[in-house]
Amino acid sequence: VLLFISAGLVWYTGANVARHFIALVLIAYIFAVREEFDGEWIHWLAALAGGALFMTDALRAATLEQLTGWSKAMGAYGFLMLLLVLGYFQFDRFDDAAGGQIIIGFGILACTVAGLVLSGHRNLAVRWISYTGFSLEVLYLAFKTIGTLIGTASFFLCAGVLVLLLAAFVVRMERRLQNRTAQAGGAA
């Protein structure tokens, strides 16, 4: 109830900085409620809501901006919520099963790449969340999958090839994002 009253007051007064605080408190509250009620449905609902906010920002940014006046931040917080819930599932639900953690890890990697492709050109927060999430998840998967000397050697061979491919991808993506930003700036 306090959150809705605070959100109403922020909307009424136009205090933009407080919006960020309320969004972060809401994300923390979702995790606190999950611990109190011990139900995964809360996280599934949060992941769906976060994904819906992100996709709405990525695909219908003008409509979301017209409705809320805060589309970029809503998309970024939705994307952050989606990645946090997936990370929570990775560490909480599949704590002992390495296979489940790796599958969720590849899902997180796919979400970060999708976030970069869909909204990275216009939303700097999503771009940084994508880069950070991707880097942390690759490091985690690397540490999780290394077990033997042959596994270590295989990992570093694959990691070298992967880093080479990622560097080429990032360079191309940054050029594309700069071109889209320049075109959007020229059209405005």
Side-chain angles (χ1 to χ4, degrees), residues 82-100:
L82 176 64
L83 289 181
L84 286 175
V85 168
L86 288 175
Y88 187 82
F89 283 148
Q90 183 179 24
F91 294 116
D92 186 49
R93 188 168 183 191
F94 298 108
D95 192 23
D96 297 331

Side-chain angles (χ1 to χ4, degrees), residues 124-137:
L124 186 63
V126 169
R127 187 185 308 182
W128 279 103
I129 292 169
S130 293
Y131 285 149
T132 304
F134 187 86
S135 300
L136 292 174
E137 192 61 36

Side-chain angles (χ1 to χ4, degrees), residues 41-109:
W41 64 272
I42 295 168
H43 277 161
W44 285 111
L45 186 63
L48 286 173
L53 278 175
F54 169 69
M55 291 302 289
T56 303
D57 174 54
L59 302 176
R60 301 278 187 232
T63 305
L64 190 60
E65 182 68 32
Q66 185 180 12
L67 290 173
T68 64
W70 206 48
S71 72
K72 285 184 181 180
M74 286 183 77
Y77 285 122
F79 187 64
L80 179 65
M81 187 70 227
L82 176 64
L83 289 181
L84 286 175
V85 168
L86 288 175
Y88 187 82
F89 283 148
Q90 183 179 24
F91 294 116
D92 186 49
R93 188 168 183 191
F94 298 108
D95 192 23
D96 297 331
Q101 285 186 351
I102 292 171
I103 290 170
I104 294 286
F106 282 120
I108 291 172
L109 292 176

Side-chain angles (χ1 to χ4, degrees), residues 11-175:
W11 176 75
Y12 180 72
T13 61
N16 291 329
V17 176
R19 289 180 181 185
H20 296 286
F21 179 70
I22 288 174
L24 291 173
V25 167
L26 181 62
I27 290 172
Y29 182 72
I30 288 170
F31 283 97
V33 167
R34 175 4 182 135
E35 290 301 320
E36 185 172 328
F37 292 122
D38 198 30
E40 285 187 4
W41 64 272
I42 295 168
H43 277 161
W44 285 111
L45 186 63
L48 286 173
L53 278 175
F54 169 69
M55 291 302 289
T56 303
D57 174 54
L59 302 176
R60 301 278 187 232
T63 305
L64 190 60
E65 182 68 32
Q66 185 180 12
L67 290 173
T68 64
W70 206 48
S71 72
K72 285 184 181 180
M74 286 183 77
Y77 285 122
F79 187 64
L80 179 65
M81 187 70 227
L82 176 64
L83 289 181
L84 286 175
V85 168
L86 288 175
Y88 187 82
F89 283 148
Q90 183 179 24
F91 294 116
D92 186 49
R93 188 168 183 191
F94 298 108
D95 192 23
D96 297 331
Q101 285 186 351
I102 292 171
I103 290 170
I104 294 286
F106 282 120
I108 291 172
L109 292 176
C111 285
T112 58
V113 171
L116 187 62
V117 169
L118 290 174
S119 190
H121 67 281
R122 58 175 287 279
N123 196 335
L124 186 63
V126 169
R127 187 185 308 182
W128 279 103
I129 292 169
S130 293
Y131 285 149
T132 304
F134 187 86
S135 300
L136 292 174
E137 192 61 36
V138 166
L139 281 174
Y140 174 74
L141 289 175
F143 290 126
K144 192 69 178 173
T145 57
I146 293 176
T148 63
L149 186 60
I150 293 174
T152 305
S154 301
F155 168 74
F156 281 114
L157 174 66
C158 294
V161 172
L162 181 66
V163 167
L164 179 67
L165 293 174
L166 284 175
F169 173 74
V170 166
V171 168
R172 291 186 67 203
M173 185 59 66
E174 287 293 329
R175 284 186 193 152

